[in-house]
Amino acid sequence: MASESAMARSNTAPLPIDQTRAWKALAAHARSTRRRTLADLFAKDRRRAEKFTVEGAGLRMDYSKHHVDATTMRLLLDLAETAGLKARIGRMFRGEKLNSTEHRAVLHVALRAPRGTVIKVDGEDVVPHVHEVLDRMSAFSRRVRSGSWKGATGKRIKNVVNIGIGGSDLGPVMAYKALVHYSERSMNFRFVSNVDGTDFVEAVRDLDPEETLFIVSSKTFTTLETMTNARTARTWLLAGLTKACGRKGLPADATARHFVAVSTNAKEVEAFGIDVENMFGFWDWVGGRYSMDSAIGLSTMLAIGPERFAEMLRGFHAMDEHFRTTPLSRNLPVIMGLIGVWMNNFLGYPSLAVLPYDQYLSRFSAYLQQLEMESNGKHVTLGGSRVAWDTCPTIWGEPGTNGQHAFYQMIHQGTRIVPCDFITFCKPISGLPHHHDLLVANVIAQAEALAFGKSKAEVRAEGVARELVPHKEFDGNRPSTVILGERLTPFSLGTLVALYEHKVFTQGTVWQINSFDQWGVELGKVLAKRIIPQLESRRAVSDHDSSTNSLINYYRAHRR
Ligand code: G6Q
């Protein structure tokens, strides 16, 4: 079987993945093992947990509670081989332009490459540029955190508001919440993303403009939501400062003292009134959803400081190295990705719940929704033909134990199987070890209950009334993965995010799709631009379908 790179060299399209011998073998294997339960698998092999647990970069992943055996894993690894995964990992790390529809390299791994590593794009080493920006971010963060950077009226900055959306928001929000324990508690961090004006209003309602710094985070610096919020922020700031300055009048550099930008678009940044000296750049080879460790992470660095940020980058890099160098059979992101393919394509489970048992990871599932679904929610292959197999499942989840008191009912007794990723850490941050034991007992118990359930006989033996027995029975046989880290730190957060980034890469490679573009978000944006003036127009609208016309006209009649 020729790999993608061999195909690319010979200029022929790869065989569709579902036509390959490896795929067909997995389909046959799935049919022949359909009736086998997790209880059967565990009963047959006392060393099962040990055999189906892998470790890397400080994380331990137990995937023994999946419907896999040695044959399944061999066939999945054959599939990875057939898809040319190993070679493609090398191509990503070498800076090849894997994002074929945008002709871009895919180099988030360069964002955490140590100084001295050489990674070239179009013949130029990009790592020195990465470190030049990191150094500038560090110097800036030190000034703000120490109070030597002053606002226009001479007050120190106490509030940082990140304005961005999608990839320029979800990572920063998730990372701030995840690492708030390590943050500078004398400062407030807020995040504004939604064009809904209430997002901005609520974020700044108790803030003093004299003490507030806005980071406008936008790769393009043209995004409707972000630029609308940025302009509103500038108006709010200047109004507040004008009042504070009174007769002295506003200093000429007022905007520049309270606004910095993270962008690739210097021209627009300057046009907005932000000093390009205070612009932190990144590059077209960093996708938005892969950018939380680039300058887009400036709010994270301001919160936790440059040293802790560097520790987070070391965590990312540790997982990058694990992914790049470890044999596929012991490679965490590869195994995670392949198990996902097995469940999605061969067992037919259409969603994945990601359930962190760590309150600090409260936005982790939301972050992964973008990372996974924007990357792999595609129906066209790299070659441009329609895929004949399913791609990304629906990703969802909330932190445990809260989820247990909400939607776990469906996970345990619903009609659809929902595979789960449970994530937790051995050592608590809270200083309340008893709470932590309760938390961890719950995550371990959930995985056990899902896998082994409770039979009718067991329910009866508890003396349950006959008519209640069917309601209290648990089928079990429901798959889950348990990911354990030592403690939630900047380092372990980096490893965890990189684990999922490379899982996405693994799956995108098998599914033969481009995980690095996002054309699917365009159409709605274009149509909204057409509708905006129609909402404000005095004339009734009739050039859409009847539903769209009626929604627009109803809103026009009721908008004020
Ligand atoms: C992510 C996407 C998207 C992007 C936002 C914000 O991979 O590209 O979520 O991050 O649309 O874009 P800007 O940073 O350009 O404002």
Side-chain angles (χ1 to χ4, degrees):
M1 178 60 47
S3 68
E4 185 199 318
S5 46
M7 295 294 185
R9 275 197 301 278
S10 65
N11 237 355
T12 55
L15 197 58
I17 195 70
D18 67 340
Q19 309 287 307
T20 63
R21 226 169 338 130
W23 185 280
K24 290 179 183 167
L26 274 162
H29 177 65
R31 281 193 296 275
S32 69
T33 57
R34 222 182 31 218
R35 290 189 193 289
R36 205 173 49 181
T37 65
L38 290 172
D40 296 338
L41 290 169
F42 274 87
K44 236 189 268 160
D45 186 353
R46 293 164 62 94
R47 291 182 47 229
R48 184 171 169 80
E50 186 188 318
K51 285 185 187 159
F52 298 98
T53 295
V54 275
E55 288 184 22
L59 296 180
R60 180 182 194 273
M61 186 172 90
D62 178 342
Y63 62 102
S64 61
K65 293 193 189 80
H66 279 280
H67 295 90
V68 296
D69 60 11
T71 307
T72 324
M73 293 317 295
R74 182 176 52 73
L75 294 176
L76 284 169
L77 290 164
D78 281 353
L79 184 70
E81 171 89 7
T82 299
L85 178 63
K86 188 80 203 160
R88 197 161 184 263
I89 293 172
R91 292 173 62 209
M92 172 172 72
F93 278 85
R94 281 196 301 278
E96 285 189 35
K97 298 197 172 162
L98 296 188
N99 179 354
S100 51
T101 61
E102 296 177 306
H103 311 290
R104 291 175 181 167
V106 173
L107 268 184
H108 38 283
V109 293
L111 297 171
R112 51 265 190 158
R115 274 180 222 276
T117 317
V118 176
I119 303 177
K120 290 188 177 170
V121 175
D122 295 329
E124 192 187 0
D125 183 7
V126 298
V127 180
H129 298 295
V130 168
H131 284 274
E132 192 250 325
V133 174
L134 282 171
D135 290 343
R136 289 181 52 233
M137 288 166 64
S138 301
F140 175 73
S141 299
R142 288 198 180 95
R143 288 179 69 192
V144 174
R145 285 164 60 89
S146 70
S148 73
W149 175 284
K150 300 266 188 283
T153 58
K155 288 196 179 171
R156 72 173 288 178
I157 297 298
K158 284 198 193 141
N159 314 310
V160 174
V161 182
N162 185 74
I163 300 179
I165 195 164
S168 301
D169 168 70
L170 287 158
V173 177
M174 183 278 286
Y176 174 66
K177 288 190 178 292
L179 301 176
V180 72
H181 170 75
Y182 304 91
S183 72
E184 176 51 58
R185 300 287 192 157
S186 65
M187 294 173 73
N188 299 305
F189 289 84
R190 304 274 165 85
F191 299 85
V192 176
S193 54
N194 201 328
V195 76
D196 182 342
T198 54
D199 203 15
F200 177 79
V201 168
E202 289 295 334
V204 300
R205 65 181 291 278
D206 55 347
L207 302 187
D208 177 352
E210 295 177 74
E211 301 174 338
T212 301
L213 175 78
F214 290 97
I215 305 174
V216 185
S217 296
S218 176
K219 184 169 164 179
T220 53
F221 228 72
T222 55
T223 304
L224 173 87
E225 292 88 342
T226 301
M227 296 324 297
T228 305
N229 280 321
R231 283 190 287 270
T232 301
R234 190 175 51 190
T235 306
W236 175 86
L237 176 93
L238 295 179
L241 291 182
T242 306
K243 209 161 141 205
C245 291
R247 266 182 298 158
K248 271 197 289 169
L250 260 184
D253 63 351
T255 305
R257 304 296 311 161
H258 292 266
F259 275 86
V260 296
V262 178
S263 187
T264 53
N265 190 344
K267 208 169 123 224
E268 290 296 328
V269 167
E270 207 170 359
F272 185 87
I274 296 177
D275 186 348
V276 281
E277 283 293 302
N278 300 323
M279 164 175 152
F280 301 90
F282 59 121
W283 307 271
D284 71 356
W285 40 262
V286 186
R289 56 194 173 274
Y290 297 88
S291 68
M292 61 167 274
D293 50 340
S294 71
I296 288 291
L298 183 60
S299 58
T300 314
M301 192 190 271
L302 282 163
I304 64 172
E307 290 73 24
R308 290 285 191 184
F309 193 84
E311 184 193 325
M312 183 180 83
L313 297 185
R314 286 197 293 278
F316 272 100
H317 182 65
M319 186 56 78
D320 293 344
E321 285 302 282
H322 171 87
F323 183 54
R324 189 176 68 82
T325 62
T326 310
L328 301 191
S329 60
R330 286 185 280 116
N331 194 309
L332 267 82
V334 170
I335 291 178
M336 196 185 210
L338 292 175
I339 297 273
V341 168
W342 170 242
M343 292 189 297
N344 190 55
N345 298 96
F346 299 97
L347 305 183
Y349 306 149
S351 84
L352 172 70
V354 181
L355 307 162
Y357 276 63
D358 191 303
Q359 189 59 28
Y360 287 124
L361 291 180
S362 60
R363 294 292 289 167
F364 192 64
S365 310
Y367 172 78
L368 286 187
Q369 285 184 326
Q370 180 188 32
L371 181 65
E372 298 220 13
M373 297 201 280
E374 196 166 76
S375 295
N376 283 342
K378 310 275 162 74
H379 65 204
V380 172
T381 65
L382 284 157
S385 45
R386 196 94 182 185
V387 296
W389 47 89
D390 281 323
T391 59
C392 194
T394 307
I395 307 291
W396 59 289
E398 280 287 321
T401 57
N402 301 27
Q404 288 176 210
H405 297 266
F407 53 78
Y408 277 41
Q409 166 63 38
M410 186 189 96
I411 298 183
H412 283 285
Q413 289 188 319
T415 52
R416 292 207 169 98
I417 303 284
V418 180
C420 303
D421 280 0
F422 292 111
I423 302 169
T424 197
F425 297 90
C426 295
K427 296 194 167 72
I429 291 179
S430 63
L432 299 170
H434 178 58
H435 281 252
H436 201 67
D437 291 345
L438 297 183
L439 179 75
V440 175
N442 270 284
V443 69
I444 296 174
Q446 288 300 326
E448 187 180 26
L450 284 170
F452 304 108
K454 195 177 198 182
S455 67
K456 277 202 178 76
E458 287 172 296
V459 179
R460 267 190 229 109
E462 286 174 355
V464 168
R466 206 148 56 100
E467 67 277 16
L468 282 183
V469 170
H471 298 276
K472 295 199 164 192
E473 180 198 7
F474 289 73
D475 290 342
N477 204 26
R478 296 180 179 227
S480 66
T481 304
V482 178
I483 299 162
L484 265 173
E486 191 194 347
R487 185 197 295 272
L488 180 58
T489 60
F491 184 93
S492 60
L493 181 70
T495 60
L496 197 57
V497 174
L499 168 66
Y500 278 92
E501 285 178 348
H502 299 321
K503 168 211 167 174
V504 165
F505 183 91
T506 299
Q507 296 189 331
T509 301
V510 171
W511 291 327
Q512 300 177 327
I513 55 180
N514 183 355
S515 306
F516 304 103
D517 59 11
Q518 56 282 316
W519 300 106
V521 301
E522 293 304 320
L523 179 60
K525 288 198 223 169
V526 171
L527 295 186
K529 279 204 177 130
R530 182 173 155 215
I531 291 174
I532 293 164
Q534 296 185 329
L535 297 181
E536 290 160 356
S537 135
R538 297 169 72 92
R539 276 188 307 133
V541 170
S542 60
D543 55 348
H544 301 264
D545 62 276
S546 63
S547 164
T548 309
N549 287 336
S550 126
L551 288 166
I552 293 173
N553 291 326
Y554 185 88
Y555 177 78
R556 283 177 53 254
H558 294 86
R559 68 193 271 265
R560 294 284 186 266

